[in-house]
Amino acid sequence: MIDRFLALLPVALYLVSLTACSAPPPADSGVSAPERPPFVEDARGLGVEFTYFNGMVGDLHFAEVMGGGVAIFDHDGDGDLDLYFRQGRMLGDEAAEEALFPPQGPRPFSDRLYRNDLDRGQGLRFTDITATAGLGATGYGMGVTSGDYDGDGDLDLYLTNFGPNRLLANRGDGTFDDVTEISRTGDLRWSVPAVFFDYDRDGWLDLYIGNYVDLSPGTRKECRTETGARDYCGPSAFNGEPDRLLHNRGDGTFDDVTARAGLLTSTGPALGAVTIDFDDDGWLDLYIGNDGAANSLFRNRGDGTFEDLGLAAGSAVNADGLPEATMGIDAGDFDGDGDEDLFLAHLTRETNTVFKNLGGGIFLDDSVSSGLGAPSIEATTFGATWLDYDNDGWLDLVAVNGAVKQIESQARQGELYPLAQRNQLFRNLGEGRFEEVTQRAGAAFQAVEVSRGTAVGDLDNDGDLDLVVVNSNGPARLLENRVGLENSWIGFRVVGGERDRDMLGAWVGVFRPHRSPLWKRCRTTVSYASSSDPRVLFGLGKAAQIESLVVRWPDGTEETWPGLEAGRYHTLRQGDGTPRQENETP
């Protein structure tokens, strides 16, 4: 009752609650604050020189405030993580040199693929291999997600665009082929999120595509503030577009099953999407974040159809009953109770939202008592993801920010792109309460930029999570983790099928002596328009061992493994564990 009362307080009381929400951790939480900055930024020094180009010429085109995403994935199967950056382009007929921020970097101008040379004995270092990978112009880039759609053991990429989307098939030799037409996965509308997941448990990854608003490349619409000044438009100035669900036939092609699956009602301006089994029935559900409209929680009925339970589950609107401008989304068990909670990124003055999973398919707006609401009042957050950056066993949160409406103080100072904001880092104090640690997070979190996509992964395979952040009209940032190894850890690659496909959707539980279990889902689509490391990594605090491990596979079966060695990655293959019987405890 107390939590419900707090959740219904007006936004003005967020600031009052901040001090209480930032109290020291309880004595038995096992949480201690890192004494040095957790991340060091050195993208250029590590060989990554990428700037997202939005093609702006001063006419305030709506699309130029969006984009772009990044994928962290192992494109060549050598055991380390590579980087794929989406790229923009001109929005009109002007030459690229006429843009207010001319394009930076090598030509031809396109998305960029950076190979991680960790396995070559060079330490963490990246090399641009875009040309040799056979990559060319792929449109005005928005998002990217990775998944092995053809089951050959190599991660493929689906690219969403302001314009035609693309499916790139990984040929396993370091190159990609555009198979959009033959696979029947194209979409000409403005798409942002996309998710690979096996919704019908037939062993093949299906594809959800989230479409934004009805605005075509080359068109313009003028919008103004209440004072009459020109400014960027918002989604309310346009009609929404229906999303799509494509069923994988297992032969390299997909069927559009949107209508048959009951998803034609999903016409909100989608910017975020994540898979989540919110009711713990073994079937993957879809949570869709819409920009300025009610969000959708599509429950998977298990018969090929979905029903939107967002309002009934308490996750469609905030505690005041209002829809918000959802951009990035992530799901994770931030309070350690064994189910997945949601974090939603919103506009300045709205505050970001935490939906706590209460079990039984019900969520509670926990933004106030978690401590994540108040610090976000002045931020417009795009990329946002849970990560246990200090490996203490509790999920922390990173939020990367950049406005979509001009910031008057920056505009008065003559800034050409007056949308810059500082990114934020939040540390979990234990049992789901957070404190903002941005001010002591070091130089990596002090820059003021226009950040969009962010993804996480263990880039140097040392057992802690690193970050990649995409900035619009600014250099991408690579934040290397420097504190995670102060605690113990264990990591897993979870695979199945004939060619060891990453089993997206698997639910992995680590059972520890005298502590509650830790649970994480194997997924790639997170945050805003981005794709992360499909492996799962668990921080163990000061513990040096685990008792057992449980994997709930996407097909509904479960297997257990005895205690595995901490401080390293393990490959878990479906069928290699011991089948777990119903009601059996690990």
Side-chain angles (χ1 to χ4, degrees), residues 142-143 160-163 165 187 189-193 209-212 270:
M142 289 288 146
T160 60
N161 289 314
F162 179 50
N165 296 341
D187 199 308
R189 293 165 291 188
W190 184 358
S191 308
V192 180
I209 303 167
N211 289 314
Y212 191 41

Side-chain angles (χ1 to χ4, degrees), residues 71 113 188 205 227 275 327 386 391:
L113 175 63
L188 301 179
L205 290 178
T227 63
T275 55
M327 276 80 76
W386 303 109
N391 278 346

Side-chain angles (χ1 to χ4, degrees), residues 34-41 389-390 396 425 427 437-445 464-467 479-486:
E35 296 181 355
R36 57 193 174 110
F39 296 96
V40 172
E41 198 289 311
Y389 73 85
D390 52 3
D396 311 300
L425 182 65
R427 185 169 162 272
V437 295
T438 304
Q439 291 301 321
R440 60 179 189 267
F445 277 86
D464 53 28
L465 290 173
D466 310 297
L467 285 166
L479 282 65
E480 190 177 356
N481 193 322
R482 295 296 177 87
V483 301
L485 295 186
E486 295 175 3

Side-chain angles (χ1 to χ4, degrees), residues 225-269:
T225 67
E226 294 180 356
T227 63
R230 289 192 62 209
D231 203 348
Y232 289 105
C233 293
S236 61
F238 307 90
N239 293 323
E241 289 275 29
D243 300 337
R244 295 179 71 201
L245 180 65
L246 305 182
H247 177 255
N248 192 334
R249 299 178 61 186
D251 60 359
T253 66
F254 291 75
D255 286 332
D256 189 333
V257 296
T258 309
R260 187 160 72 243
L263 294 177
L264 279 180
T265 58
S266 184
T267 58

